Amino acid sequence: MDKSWDGNFRDIPLEHFEKMKSKARTLAEVKISPSDVKANDKNIFIRIGMSGTGVRPNYQVELPNGCVIAINGINHERFGVDEFDKQWVSKVYSIEKLNNMRMFGGILETENA
């Protein structure tokens, strides 16, 4: 895979990251029934697009009930596919883990890294 971004999580603008988290939490509220496990930052997961520049990456929200939603990084709306090909996105990270990476640094990895 050719890419111009090395996956350094701090390269993603804070405003974009905050919108990613907000979208993921909103989807969790809508898509998870009260009888399912309660969604929180430890079990709402995001895969981040690795093929762009890291400025406004596309991302995929994965919820504890198995629901997967691909999101366009430009407008934070559904992308138009059920899910992204795993070769183009990072491995799955919880919001909690991404918050830690934002504070302390970290490089996003792909599934096969």
Side-chain angles (χ1 to χ4, degrees):
M1 163 179 33
D2 258 355
K3 61 181 182 174
S4 55
W5 177 48
D6 66 2
N8 185 337
F9 191 67
R10 286 190 175 170
D11 290 344
I12 297 174
L14 181 58
E15 179 182 340
H16 187 76
F17 177 48
E18 292 298 327
K19 287 181 181 178
M20 290 168 68
K21 292 189 299 187
S22 177
K23 183 69 173 187
R25 290 172 180 144
T26 300
L27 287 169
E29 288 175 12
V30 171
K31 296 286 186 182
I32 296 176
S33 72
S35 62
D36 286 336
V37 65
K38 182 161 174 52
N40 60 48
D41 285 358
K42 289 182 181 181
N43 63 15
I44 300 173
F45 298 95
I46 298 175
R47 291 181 190 270
I48 299 174
M50 301 291 290
S51 62
T53 61
V55 176
R56 289 185 309 254
N58 297 324
Y59 56 100
Q60 181 170 296
V61 177
E62 299 186 12
L63 303 173
N65 64 356
C67 187
V68 175
I69 305 111
I71 303 293
N72 185 314
I74 293 173
N75 59 16
H76 301 276
E77 298 296 326
R78 288 180 183 255
F79 191 82
V81 297
D82 290 335
E83 65 183 273
F84 294 120
D85 187 322
K86 290 209 169 80
Q87 74 173 343
W88 300 109
V89 292
S90 70
K91 68 181 185 180
V92 68
Y93 292 94
S94 69
I95 291 176
E96 179 182 63
K97 175 68 175 167
L98 291 173
N99 280 330
N100 287 336
M101 289 173 75
R102 185 71 194 187
M103 275 206 262
F104 304 112
I107 303 295
L108 296 170
E109 298 177 351
T110 58
E111 282 289 331
N112 55 4

